[in-house]
Amino acid sequence: MSDQPILEVRDYSKTFVLHEQGKTLPSSSHVNLNVYPGRLTALIGPTGAGKSTVLKGIYLTYLPSSGQLLYRTANGGRVDLATADEHQILALRQRDIGFVTQFLHTLPRQSTEDVVAMPLFQRGVERGTARAQARDILQRLNLPERLWGVSPATFSGGERQRVNLARGLLAKPRLLLLDEPTASLDPKTTDRVVELIAELKQGGTGLLAIFHSPALVERLADAVVELAPPPGTEHFFEGTTP
Amino acid sequence: MVNDNISTPTLDKVLEVRGLGKVYGNGCPHCFDLTGPEHDTNICPRCGSVVAAHNLSFDLCRGEILGIMGESGSGKSTAVKALYFDEAPTCGTAVFYDQGNAYDLYALNAAQQRQLRNQRFGMVYQNPVLGLNFNVSAGGNIAERLLMSNLSHYGEIRQRATTLLRRTEVLTQRMDELPKNFSGGMQQRVQIAKALATNPPLLLLDEVTTGLDLSVQAAILDLIMEIQQELGTAMIAVTHDLGVIRLLAGRTLVMKYGRVIESGLTDQILEDPQHAYTQRLVASAL
Protein backbone atom coordinates (compact mmCIF):
# COMPACT_ATOMS: atom_id res chain seq x y z
CA MET A 1 0.00 0.00 0.00
CA SER A 2 1.43 3.33 -1.03
CA ASP A 3 1.85 6.19 1.38
CA GLN A 4 1.57 8.73 -1.40
CA PRO A 5 -1.94 10.15 -1.61
CA ILE A 6 -3.70 9.60 -4.92
CA LEU A 7 -5.57 12.86 -4.32
CA GLU A 8 -4.72 15.90 -2.23
CA VAL A 9 -7.38 18.54 -1.85
CA ARG A 10 -5.79 21.76 -0.64
CA ASP A 11 -7.75 24.72 0.58
CA TYR A 12 -10.62 24.04 -1.80
CA SER A 13 -13.47 26.52 -1.80
CA LYS A 14 -16.54 26.83 -3.94
CA THR A 15 -18.91 29.74 -4.04
CA PHE A 16 -21.78 29.87 -6.49
CA VAL A 17 -22.49 33.22 -8.11
CA LEU A 18 -26.14 33.45 -9.06
CA HIS A 19 -26.43 36.37 -11.47
CA GLU A 20 -30.19 36.36 -11.85
CA GLN A 21 -30.78 36.50 -8.08
CA GLY A 22 -27.80 38.78 -7.49
CA LYS A 23 -26.50 36.45 -4.81
CA THR A 24 -23.38 34.57 -3.96
CA LEU A 25 -23.77 31.24 -2.24
CA PRO A 26 -20.78 29.79 -0.41
CA SER A 27 -20.93 26.01 -0.51
CA SER A 28 -17.53 24.62 0.46
CA SER A 29 -14.92 26.59 2.30
CA HIS A 30 -11.22 25.83 2.82
CA VAL A 31 -11.48 22.06 2.53
CA ASN A 32 -8.29 20.03 3.00
CA LEU A 33 -8.18 16.26 2.66
CA ASN A 34 -6.18 13.34 1.29
CA VAL A 35 -7.25 10.13 -0.40
CA TYR A 36 -4.83 7.20 -0.43
CA PRO A 37 -4.70 4.20 -2.76
CA GLY A 38 -6.47 1.21 -1.25
CA ARG A 39 -8.14 3.28 1.47
CA LEU A 40 -11.45 4.98 1.95
CA THR A 41 -11.81 8.51 3.23
CA ALA A 42 -15.30 9.35 4.45
CA LEU A 43 -16.70 12.89 4.32
CA ILE A 44 -19.02 13.67 7.20
CA GLY A 45 -20.80 16.77 8.40
CA PRO A 46 -24.30 18.28 8.56
CA THR A 47 -26.48 19.10 5.57
CA GLY A 48 -25.13 22.23 3.94
CA ALA A 49 -21.52 21.49 4.86
CA GLY A 50 -20.72 21.09 1.16
CA LYS A 51 -19.92 17.39 1.10
CA SER A 52 -21.44 16.75 -2.33
CA THR A 53 -19.93 19.99 -3.58
CA VAL A 54 -16.47 18.68 -2.79
CA LEU A 55 -17.13 15.51 -4.79
CA LYS A 56 -18.57 17.42 -7.75
CA GLY A 57 -15.65 19.81 -7.45
CA ILE A 58 -13.11 16.99 -7.72
CA TYR A 59 -15.01 15.60 -10.72
CA LEU A 60 -14.99 19.14 -12.19
CA THR A 61 -18.75 19.23 -12.61
CA TYR A 62 -18.38 22.34 -10.47
CA LEU A 63 -15.61 24.78 -11.27
CA PRO A 64 -13.50 25.43 -8.19
CA SER A 65 -13.45 28.98 -6.82
CA SER A 66 -10.02 28.46 -5.28
CA GLY A 67 -7.67 25.76 -4.09
CA GLN A 68 -5.80 22.83 -5.56
CA LEU A 69 -6.96 19.33 -6.47
CA LEU A 70 -3.73 17.40 -6.88
CA TYR A 71 -4.20 14.02 -8.53
CA ARG A 72 -1.38 11.50 -8.83
CA THR A 73 -1.49 9.65 -12.14
CA ALA A 74 -0.65 5.99 -12.68
CA ASN A 75 2.85 6.86 -13.86
CA GLY A 76 3.52 8.98 -10.78
CA GLY A 77 2.94 12.40 -12.31
CA ARG A 78 0.81 15.02 -10.63
CA VAL A 79 -2.06 16.93 -12.18
CA ASP A 80 -3.89 19.81 -10.57
CA LEU A 81 -7.43 18.99 -11.66
CA ALA A 82 -8.47 22.55 -10.84
CA THR A 83 -6.39 23.90 -13.71
CA ALA A 84 -6.16 20.86 -16.01
CA ASP A 85 -7.16 21.01 -19.65
CA GLU A 86 -10.72 19.86 -20.40
CA HIS A 87 -9.47 17.07 -22.63
CA GLN A 88 -7.28 15.84 -19.81
CA ILE A 89 -10.26 15.78 -17.43
CA LEU A 90 -12.34 13.84 -19.96
CA ALA A 91 -9.53 11.31 -20.39
CA LEU A 92 -9.18 10.91 -16.61
CA ARG A 93 -12.93 10.43 -16.24
CA GLN A 94 -12.85 7.72 -18.84
CA ARG A 95 -10.07 5.69 -17.26
CA ASP A 96 -9.07 6.95 -13.84
CA ILE A 97 -11.77 8.74 -11.89
CA GLY A 98 -15.24 7.33 -11.28
CA PHE A 99 -18.27 8.96 -9.68
CA VAL A 100 -21.34 7.22 -8.31
CA THR A 101 -24.06 9.72 -7.48
CA GLN A 102 -27.41 9.27 -5.77
CA PHE A 103 -29.20 9.67 -9.05
CA LEU A 104 -28.98 7.71 -12.24
CA HIS A 105 -29.50 9.46 -15.54
CA THR A 106 -29.86 7.03 -18.40
CA LEU A 107 -31.43 6.88 -21.76
CA PRO A 108 -34.79 5.13 -21.69
CA ARG A 109 -33.64 3.16 -24.73
CA GLN A 110 -30.64 1.48 -23.15
CA SER A 111 -30.70 -1.88 -21.39
CA THR A 112 -29.48 -2.09 -17.81
CA GLU A 113 -26.70 -4.40 -18.94
CA ASP A 114 -25.44 -1.81 -21.42
CA VAL A 115 -25.75 1.03 -18.91
CA VAL A 116 -23.49 -0.88 -16.55
CA ALA A 117 -21.05 -1.94 -19.29
CA MET A 118 -20.83 1.59 -20.77
CA PRO A 119 -17.56 2.60 -19.07
CA LEU A 120 -15.97 -0.57 -20.43
CA PHE A 121 -17.40 0.06 -23.93
CA GLN A 122 -15.85 3.52 -23.82
CA ARG A 123 -12.48 2.05 -23.03
CA GLY A 124 -12.74 -0.20 -26.03
CA VAL A 125 -13.48 -3.48 -24.22
CA GLU A 126 -15.17 -5.90 -26.60
CA ARG A 127 -18.97 -5.68 -26.15
CA GLY A 128 -19.57 -9.34 -25.33
CA THR A 129 -16.87 -9.37 -22.67
CA ALA A 130 -18.07 -6.10 -21.19
CA ARG A 131 -21.68 -7.35 -21.00
CA ALA A 132 -20.61 -10.59 -19.35
CA GLN A 133 -18.80 -8.61 -16.66
CA ALA A 134 -21.83 -6.36 -16.26
CA ARG A 135 -24.12 -9.36 -15.71
CA ASP A 136 -21.71 -10.76 -13.19
CA ILE A 137 -21.70 -7.64 -11.03
CA LEU A 138 -25.49 -7.18 -11.34
CA GLN A 139 -25.83 -10.72 -10.04
CA ARG A 140 -23.61 -9.94 -7.10
CA LEU A 141 -25.69 -6.86 -6.29
CA ASN A 142 -28.90 -8.92 -6.25
CA LEU A 143 -30.56 -7.25 -9.20
CA PRO A 144 -33.12 -9.76 -10.54
CA GLU A 145 -32.04 -11.22 -13.87
CA ARG A 146 -35.36 -10.37 -15.55
CA LEU A 147 -34.40 -6.68 -15.28
CA TRP A 148 -31.02 -6.89 -17.00
CA GLY A 149 -32.40 -6.55 -20.50
CA VAL A 150 -34.69 -3.58 -19.85
CA SER A 151 -34.00 0.08 -19.23
CA PRO A 152 -33.56 1.26 -15.64
CA ALA A 153 -36.04 4.08 -16.37
CA THR A 154 -38.88 2.25 -14.63
CA PHE A 155 -36.84 0.85 -11.74
CA SER A 156 -37.40 1.60 -8.08
CA GLY A 157 -34.95 3.81 -6.20
CA GLY A 158 -33.10 0.84 -4.75
CA GLU A 159 -32.85 -0.94 -8.10
CA ARG A 160 -31.53 2.16 -9.82
CA GLN A 161 -28.99 2.61 -7.11
CA ARG A 162 -27.76 -0.91 -7.66
CA VAL A 163 -27.39 -0.26 -11.39
CA ASN A 164 -25.53 2.95 -10.66
CA LEU A 165 -23.21 1.23 -8.21
CA ALA A 166 -22.65 -1.70 -10.52
CA ARG A 167 -21.51 0.68 -13.24
CA GLY A 168 -19.21 2.65 -10.95
CA LEU A 169 -17.65 -0.39 -9.33
CA LEU A 170 -17.27 -2.40 -12.54
CA ALA A 171 -15.13 0.35 -14.06
CA LYS A 172 -12.54 -0.20 -11.28
CA PRO A 173 -11.26 3.36 -11.39
CA ARG A 174 -8.10 4.46 -9.59
CA LEU A 175 -10.11 7.04 -7.68
CA LEU A 176 -13.79 6.52 -6.92
CA LEU A 177 -16.11 9.21 -5.59
CA LEU A 178 -19.25 7.91 -3.89
CA ASP A 179 -22.18 10.14 -2.97
CA GLU A 180 -24.53 8.24 -0.65
CA PRO A 181 -24.41 5.10 -2.78
CA THR A 182 -26.37 2.92 -0.35
CA ALA A 183 -29.12 5.34 0.72
CA SER A 184 -31.98 3.13 -0.48
CA LEU A 185 -30.54 -0.38 -0.30
CA ASP A 186 -31.70 -3.26 1.88
CA PRO A 187 -29.25 -4.62 4.49
CA LYS A 188 -28.35 -7.69 2.43
CA THR A 189 -27.45 -5.64 -0.66
CA THR A 190 -25.58 -3.17 1.51
CA ASP A 191 -23.45 -6.07 2.74
CA ARG A 192 -22.66 -6.96 -0.86
CA VAL A 193 -21.68 -3.36 -1.57
CA VAL A 194 -19.38 -3.39 1.44
CA GLU A 195 -17.81 -6.56 0.08
CA LEU A 196 -17.31 -5.06 -3.37
CA ILE A 197 -15.83 -1.87 -1.96
CA ALA A 198 -13.41 -3.94 0.11
CA GLU A 199 -12.36 -5.73 -3.08
CA LEU A 200 -11.80 -2.43 -4.85
CA LYS A 201 -9.65 -1.25 -1.97
CA GLN A 202 -7.61 -4.42 -2.22
CA GLY A 203 -7.14 -3.67 -5.91
CA GLY A 204 -5.66 -0.31 -4.98
CA THR A 205 -8.59 2.03 -5.65
CA GLY A 206 -8.66 5.12 -3.46
CA LEU A 207 -12.17 6.14 -2.39
CA LEU A 208 -13.75 9.34 -1.16
CA ALA A 209 -17.27 8.71 0.06
CA ILE A 210 -20.33 10.24 1.66
CA PHE A 211 -22.50 7.72 3.52
CA HIS A 212 -25.91 8.39 4.98
CA SER A 213 -25.37 6.04 7.87
CA PRO A 214 -22.68 6.39 10.55
CA ALA A 215 -22.60 2.59 10.77
CA LEU A 216 -21.26 2.39 7.21
CA VAL A 217 -18.63 5.01 7.93
CA GLU A 218 -17.59 2.82 10.82
CA ARG A 219 -17.43 -0.30 8.64
CA LEU A 220 -15.68 1.14 5.61
CA ALA A 221 -13.74 4.29 6.40
CA ASP A 222 -10.00 4.33 6.99
CA ALA A 223 -10.09 8.06 7.61
CA VAL A 224 -12.81 10.59 8.33
CA VAL A 225 -12.92 14.24 7.32
CA GLU A 226 -15.55 16.40 8.95
CA LEU A 227 -16.82 19.44 7.09
CA ALA A 228 -18.62 22.42 8.60
CA PRO A 229 -20.99 24.71 6.73
CA PRO A 230 -19.01 27.63 5.30
CA PRO A 231 -19.17 30.94 7.15
CA GLY A 232 -22.09 33.01 5.98
CA THR A 233 -24.31 30.03 5.23
CA GLU A 234 -26.73 30.54 8.11
CA HIS A 235 -26.84 34.16 7.23
CA PHE A 236 -27.86 33.22 3.72
CA PHE A 237 -30.58 30.81 4.78
CA GLU A 238 -32.16 33.46 6.97
CA GLY A 239 -32.73 35.31 3.73
CA THR A 240 -30.87 38.43 4.72
CA THR A 241 -28.73 39.27 1.75
CA PRO A 242 -25.74 41.48 2.40
CA MET B 1 -7.87 -4.84 -11.14
CA VAL B 2 -6.72 -1.31 -11.58
CA ASN B 3 -4.82 -0.92 -14.77
CA ASP B 4 -1.47 0.60 -14.01
CA ASN B 5 -0.11 0.55 -17.52
CA ILE B 6 -2.19 3.38 -18.84
CA SER B 7 -0.17 6.43 -19.64
CA THR B 8 -1.35 9.93 -20.31
CA PRO B 9 -2.95 9.88 -23.76
CA THR B 10 -1.45 11.84 -26.57
CA LEU B 11 -4.23 14.11 -27.64
CA ASP B 12 -5.13 13.24 -31.16
CA LYS B 13 -5.99 16.67 -32.45
CA VAL B 14 -8.20 16.81 -35.52
CA LEU B 15 -8.90 20.50 -35.72
CA GLU B 16 -7.45 23.69 -34.33
CA VAL B 17 -9.49 26.86 -34.85
CA ARG B 18 -8.06 30.23 -33.88
CA GLY B 19 -9.66 33.64 -34.00
CA LEU B 20 -12.25 32.69 -36.60
CA GLY B 21 -14.60 35.51 -37.50
CA LYS B 22 -17.25 36.42 -40.04
CA VAL B 23 -18.60 39.88 -40.75
CA TYR B 24 -21.36 40.52 -43.27
CA GLY B 25 -21.00 44.02 -44.66
CA ASN B 26 -18.13 46.41 -45.16
CA GLY B 27 -17.15 46.59 -41.51
CA CYS B 28 -15.59 49.53 -39.74
CA PRO B 29 -13.01 49.94 -36.96
CA HIS B 30 -15.79 49.96 -34.34
CA CYS B 31 -17.60 46.77 -35.34
CA PHE B 32 -16.07 44.60 -32.63
CA ASP B 33 -16.14 47.23 -29.89
CA LEU B 34 -19.80 48.02 -30.33
CA THR B 35 -21.26 44.54 -30.78
CA GLY B 36 -21.47 41.42 -28.67
CA PRO B 37 -23.41 40.26 -25.62
CA GLU B 38 -22.64 43.37 -23.55
CA HIS B 39 -24.16 45.54 -26.29
CA ASP B 40 -27.09 43.20 -26.88
CA THR B 41 -26.57 43.18 -30.60
CA ASN B 42 -24.41 41.80 -33.37
CA ILE B 43 -25.18 44.69 -35.72
CA CYS B 44 -22.61 47.46 -35.68
CA PRO B 45 -24.43 50.73 -34.86
CA ARG B 46 -21.89 52.75 -36.88
CA CYS B 47 -21.78 50.90 -40.18
CA GLY B 48 -24.63 48.40 -39.99
CA SER B 49 -22.41 45.38 -40.62
CA VAL B 50 -23.41 42.13 -38.99
CA VAL B 51 -20.75 40.50 -36.84
CA ALA B 52 -21.93 36.90 -37.19
CA ALA B 53 -18.97 35.45 -35.33
CA HIS B 54 -15.90 36.95 -33.75
CA ASN B 55 -12.75 35.46 -32.31
CA LEU B 56 -13.86 31.84 -32.24
CA SER B 57 -11.12 29.51 -30.99
CA PHE B 58 -11.26 25.84 -30.06
CA ASP B 59 -9.58 22.47 -30.47
CA LEU B 60 -11.28 19.26 -31.48
CA CYS B 61 -9.81 15.81 -30.83
CA ARG B 62 -10.44 12.42 -32.37
CA GLY B 63 -13.62 10.74 -31.14
CA GLU B 64 -14.83 13.89 -29.46
CA ILE B 65 -18.16 15.66 -29.90
CA LEU B 66 -17.99 19.39 -29.30
CA GLY B 67 -21.32 21.13 -28.77
CA ILE B 68 -21.94 24.69 -29.91
CA MET B 69 -25.03 26.04 -28.22
CA GLY B 70 -26.87 29.30 -28.68
CA GLU B 71 -30.05 30.95 -29.88
CA SER B 72 -30.85 31.79 -33.48
CA GLY B 73 -28.46 34.48 -34.66
CA SER B 74 -25.81 33.70 -32.05
CA GLY B 75 -23.37 32.71 -34.78
CA LYS B 76 -23.23 29.05 -33.88
CA SER B 77 -23.79 27.82 -37.44
CA THR B 78 -21.26 30.26 -38.86
CA ALA B 79 -18.40 28.16 -37.50
CA VAL B 80 -19.43 24.91 -39.20
CA LYS B 81 -20.32 26.70 -42.43
CA ALA B 82 -16.86 28.24 -42.51
CA LEU B 83 -15.23 24.89 -41.75
CA TYR B 84 -17.16 23.19 -44.54
CA PHE B 85 -16.19 26.04 -46.91
CA ASP B 86 -19.83 27.00 -47.40
CA GLU B 87 -18.80 30.51 -46.44
CA ALA B 88 -15.40 32.16 -46.33
CA PRO B 89 -14.49 33.56 -42.92
CA THR B 90 -13.46 37.20 -42.64
CA CYS B 91 -10.51 36.37 -40.44
CA GLY B 92 -8.92 33.60 -38.44
CA THR B 93 -7.33 30.24 -39.13
CA ALA B 94 -8.35 26.61 -38.97
CA VAL B 95 -5.85 23.78 -39.20
CA PHE B 96 -7.09 20.28 -40.01
CA TYR B 97 -4.81 17.38 -39.01
CA ASP B 98 -5.25 14.28 -41.11
CA GLN B 99 -3.07 11.23 -41.73
CA GLY B 100 0.10 12.98 -40.69
CA ASN B 101 -0.62 16.17 -42.64
CA ALA B 102 -1.67 19.58 -41.38
CA TYR B 103 -3.96 21.56 -43.68
CA ASP B 104 -4.25 25.30 -43.14
CA LEU B 105 -7.83 25.39 -44.42
CA TYR B 106 -8.10 28.98 -45.62
CA ALA B 107 -4.68 28.99 -47.25
CA LEU B 108 -5.66 26.12 -49.56
CA ASN B 109 -6.79 26.72 -53.13
CA ALA B 110 -10.34 25.99 -54.21
CA ALA B 111 -9.50 22.56 -55.61
CA GLN B 112 -7.77 21.46 -52.42
CA GLN B 113 -10.68 22.76 -50.36
CA ARG B 114 -13.13 20.85 -52.54
CA GLN B 115 -11.12 17.70 -52.12
CA LEU B 116 -11.18 17.92 -48.33
CA ARG B 117 -14.86 18.76 -48.35
CA ASN B 118 -15.70 15.82 -50.58
CA GLN B 119 -13.48 13.24 -48.97
CA ARG B 120 -12.48 14.15 -45.43
CA PHE B 121 -15.39 16.23 -44.08
CA GLY B 122 -19.00 15.25 -43.67
CA MET B 123 -21.84 17.71 -43.16
CA VAL B 124 -25.41 17.13 -42.07
CA TYR B 125 -27.67 20.16 -42.41
CA GLN B 126 -30.89 20.90 -40.58
CA ASN B 127 -32.57 21.19 -43.96
CA PRO B 128 -32.03 18.06 -46.09
CA VAL B 129 -32.48 20.18 -49.24
CA LEU B 130 -29.02 21.62 -48.55
CA GLY B 131 -27.35 18.28 -48.03
CA LEU B 132 -29.08 16.08 -50.58
CA ASN B 133 -29.51 16.28 -54.31
CA PHE B 134 -33.28 15.90 -54.68
CA ASN B 135 -33.02 15.04 -58.37
CA VAL B 136 -31.26 11.74 -57.80
CA SER B 137 -32.13 8.71 -55.70
CA ALA B 138 -31.01 8.09 -52.13
CA GLY B 139 -28.42 5.63 -53.39
CA GLY B 140 -27.42 8.09 -56.10
CA ASN B 141 -26.75 10.75 -53.50
CA ILE B 142 -24.25 8.49 -51.81
CA ALA B 143 -22.78 7.43 -55.13
CA GLU B 144 -22.27 11.08 -56.03
CA ARG B 145 -20.06 11.57 -53.01
CA LEU B 146 -18.16 8.35 -53.62
CA LEU B 147 -17.56 9.33 -57.25
CA MET B 148 -16.08 12.62 -56.08
CA SER B 149 -13.61 10.63 -54.03
CA ASN B 150 -11.79 7.81 -55.76
CA LEU B 151 -14.30 5.03 -56.02
CA SER B 152 -15.59 4.55 -59.55
CA HIS B 153 -16.53 0.91 -59.92
CA TYR B 154 -20.34 0.66 -60.18
CA GLY B 155 -20.63 -2.56 -58.20
CA GLU B 156 -18.41 -1.30 -55.41
CA ILE B 157 -20.30 1.99 -55.17
CA ARG B 158 -23.63 0.19 -55.06
CA GLN B 159 -22.29 -2.13 -52.39
CA ARG B 160 -20.96 0.74 -50.25
CA ALA B 161 -24.24 2.67 -50.60
CA THR B 162 -26.19 -0.39 -49.50
CA THR B 163 -23.95 -0.87 -46.47
CA LEU B 164 -24.28 2.78 -45.47
CA LEU B 165 -28.05 2.87 -45.84
CA ARG B 166 -28.37 -0.33 -43.88
CA ARG B 167 -26.12 1.18 -41.20
CA THR B 168 -28.32 4.25 -40.93
CA GLU B 169 -31.44 2.07 -41.01
CA VAL B 170 -32.84 3.21 -44.32
CA LEU B 171 -34.62 0.35 -46.06
CA THR B 172 -32.26 -0.65 -48.83
CA GLN B 173 -35.23 -1.62 -51.01
CA ARG B 174 -35.92 2.10 -51.19
CA MET B 175 -32.43 3.18 -52.20
CA ASP B 176 -33.53 3.87 -55.77
CA GLU B 177 -36.29 6.22 -54.69
CA LEU B 178 -35.99 10.00 -54.74
CA PRO B 179 -35.40 11.69 -51.36
CA LYS B 180 -38.64 13.64 -51.69
CA ASN B 181 -40.58 10.41 -51.17
CA PHE B 182 -38.95 9.99 -47.76
CA SER B 183 -40.08 11.29 -44.39
CA GLY B 184 -38.03 14.02 -42.67
CA GLY B 185 -36.34 11.51 -40.39
CA MET B 186 -35.47 9.24 -43.32
CA GLN B 187 -34.07 12.18 -45.28
CA GLN B 188 -31.83 12.94 -42.28
CA ARG B 189 -30.68 9.33 -42.24
CA VAL B 190 -29.85 9.46 -45.94
CA GLN B 191 -27.94 12.71 -45.30
CA ILE B 192 -25.96 11.03 -42.54
CA ALA B 193 -25.26 8.02 -44.76
CA LYS B 194 -24.06 10.38 -47.49
CA ALA B 195 -21.88 12.34 -45.05
CA LEU B 196 -20.33 9.11 -43.79
CA ALA B 197 -19.75 7.66 -47.27
CA THR B 198 -16.03 8.41 -47.34
CA ASN B 199 -15.43 7.60 -43.63
CA PRO B 200 -14.58 11.21 -42.86
CA PRO B 201 -12.61 11.92 -39.68
CA LEU B 202 -14.61 15.11 -39.18
CA LEU B 203 -18.40 15.33 -39.15
CA LEU B 204 -20.28 18.62 -38.86
CA LEU B 205 -23.85 18.54 -37.58
CA ASP B 206 -25.93 21.68 -37.95
CA GLU B 207 -29.18 21.38 -35.96
CA VAL B 208 -29.69 17.86 -37.29
CA THR B 209 -32.67 16.99 -35.12
CA THR B 210 -34.46 20.33 -35.11
CA GLY B 211 -37.99 20.03 -36.41
CA LEU B 212 -38.19 16.26 -36.23
CA ASP B 213 -40.65 14.26 -34.13
CA LEU B 214 -39.30 13.40 -30.69
CA SER B 215 -39.09 9.67 -31.39
CA VAL B 216 -37.26 10.35 -34.65
CA GLN B 217 -34.91 12.77 -32.88
CA ALA B 218 -34.03 10.10 -30.36
CA ALA B 219 -33.26 7.55 -33.04
CA ILE B 220 -31.06 10.01 -34.97
CA LEU B 221 -29.17 10.93 -31.80
CA ASP B 222 -28.66 7.25 -30.96
CA LEU B 223 -27.28 6.74 -34.45
CA ILE B 224 -24.85 9.64 -34.05
CA MET B 225 -23.60 8.28 -30.72
CA GLU B 226 -23.13 4.81 -32.18
CA ILE B 227 -21.13 6.25 -35.05
CA GLN B 228 -18.93 8.16 -32.64
CA GLN B 229 -18.29 5.05 -30.56
CA GLU B 230 -17.70 2.76 -33.53
CA LEU B 231 -15.66 4.99 -35.80
CA GLY B 232 -14.14 7.53 -33.43
CA THR B 233 -15.33 10.33 -35.73
CA ALA B 234 -14.72 13.81 -34.35
CA MET B 235 -17.89 15.91 -34.52
CA ILE B 236 -19.12 19.42 -34.00
CA ALA B 237 -22.81 19.53 -33.08
CA VAL B 238 -24.48 22.90 -33.44
CA THR B 239 -27.81 23.13 -31.66
CA HIS B 240 -30.08 25.31 -29.56
CA ASP B 241 -31.35 22.21 -27.77
CA LEU B 242 -29.89 21.61 -24.29
CA GLY B 243 -31.03 17.99 -24.43
CA VAL B 244 -28.97 17.34 -27.54
CA ILE B 245 -25.95 19.00 -25.91
CA ARG B 246 -26.39 16.95 -22.74
CA LEU B 247 -26.65 13.74 -24.68
CA LEU B 248 -23.94 14.19 -27.29
CA ALA B 249 -21.30 16.69 -26.30
CA GLY B 250 -18.37 16.15 -23.96
CA ARG B 251 -17.44 19.82 -24.18
CA THR B 252 -19.61 22.78 -25.06
CA LEU B 253 -19.23 26.34 -26.30
CA VAL B 254 -22.03 28.77 -25.53
CA MET B 255 -22.46 31.58 -28.05
CA LYS B 256 -24.36 34.84 -27.99
CA TYR B 257 -24.30 37.71 -30.49
CA GLY B 258 -21.39 36.19 -32.34
CA ARG B 259 -19.16 35.61 -29.32
CA VAL B 260 -18.28 32.60 -27.22
CA ILE B 261 -19.41 33.67 -23.78
CA GLU B 262 -18.58 30.45 -22.00
CA SER B 263 -16.99 27.10 -22.69
CA GLY B 264 -16.30 24.01 -20.63
CA LEU B 265 -17.15 20.40 -19.89
CA THR B 266 -20.80 19.89 -20.75
CA ASP B 267 -21.87 18.72 -17.29
CA GLN B 268 -20.13 21.75 -15.82
CA ILE B 269 -21.82 24.14 -18.25
CA LEU B 270 -25.20 22.64 -17.35
CA GLU B 271 -24.72 22.30 -13.58
CA ASP B 272 -22.44 25.21 -12.79
CA PRO B 273 -22.87 27.78 -15.57
CA GLN B 274 -20.77 30.88 -14.97
CA HIS B 275 -22.25 33.46 -17.30
CA ALA B 276 -25.57 35.13 -16.49
CA TYR B 277 -26.92 34.24 -19.93
CA THR B 278 -26.03 30.54 -19.59
CA GLN B 279 -27.54 30.47 -16.11
CA ARG B 280 -30.76 31.83 -17.54
CA LEU B 281 -30.68 29.39 -20.45
CA VAL B 282 -30.13 26.37 -18.20
CA ALA B 283 -32.71 27.55 -15.68
CA SER B 284 -35.35 27.94 -18.37
CA ALA B 285 -34.75 24.43 -19.68
CA LEU B 286 -35.14 22.57 -16.39
Side-chain angles (χ1 to χ4, degrees), chain A residues 207-227:
Chain A
L207 295 104
L208 181 61
I210 304 168
F211 294 114
H212 68 290
S213 94
L216 271 175
V217 174
E218 195 109 324
R219 281 173 82 178
L220 283 164
D222 300 289
V224 171
V225 174
E226 184 164 7
L227 301 182

Side-chain angles (χ1 to χ4, degrees), chain A residues 2-171:
Chain A
S2 164
D3 284 317
Q4 300 262 41
I6 188 167
L7 179 76
E8 286 172 66
V9 174
R10 289 194 186 158
D11 207 25
Y12 171 83
S13 296
K14 173 64 187 175
T15 298
F16 292 96
V17 180
L18 308 175
H19 295 286
E20 197 84 334
Q21 293 84 351
K23 280 179 184 165
T24 59
L25 181 57
S27 183
S28 286
S29 158
H30 305 291
V31 175
N32 287 285
L33 62 88
N34 287 346
V35 182
Y36 293 90
R39 291 186 228 168
L40 187 145
T41 301
L43 275 178
I44 61 167
T47 305
K51 301 187 293 292
S52 295
T53 300
V54 170
L55 296 192
K56 285 194 174 184
I58 294 166
Y59 203 63
L60 268 293
T61 296
Y62 291 162
L63 279 183
S65 302
S66 64
Q68 286 179 302
L69 305 164
L70 301 171
Y71 176 75
R72 194 173 300 273
T73 58
N75 54 23
R78 282 222 293 190
V79 183
D80 183 358
L81 303 176
T83 56
D85 176 83
E86 288 161 15
H87 286 110
Q88 209 169 3
I89 299 290
L90 287 175
L92 285 172
R93 283 181 180 184
Q94 198 174 91
R95 295 173 338 213
D96 277 38
I97 304 179
F99 193 2
V100 176
T101 58
Q102 290 157 275
F103 311 103
L104 177 68
H105 298 284
T106 56
L107 290 176
R109 311 179 287 282
Q110 226 172 17
S111 73
T112 294
E113 222 170 83
D114 281 8
V115 168
V116 173
M118 187 53 70
L120 299 184
F121 291 166
Q122 283 168 348
R123 287 186 206 162
V125 176
E126 192 270 320
R127 297 210 161 214
T129 316
R131 287 198 183 105
Q133 290 186 35
R135 285 193 290 270
D136 190 50
I137 197 158
L138 286 169
Q139 174 101 58
R140 290 193 64 186
L141 286 169
N142 287 328
L143 190 81
E145 191 169 343
R146 65 188 158 79
L147 298 178
W148 298 354
V150 297
S151 156
T154 53
F155 288 8
S156 72
E159 285 162 351
R160 275 174 195 239
Q161 199 139 40
R162 272 176 270 184
V163 174
N164 213 7
L165 263 167
R167 174 163 65 175
L169 298 174
L170 182 63

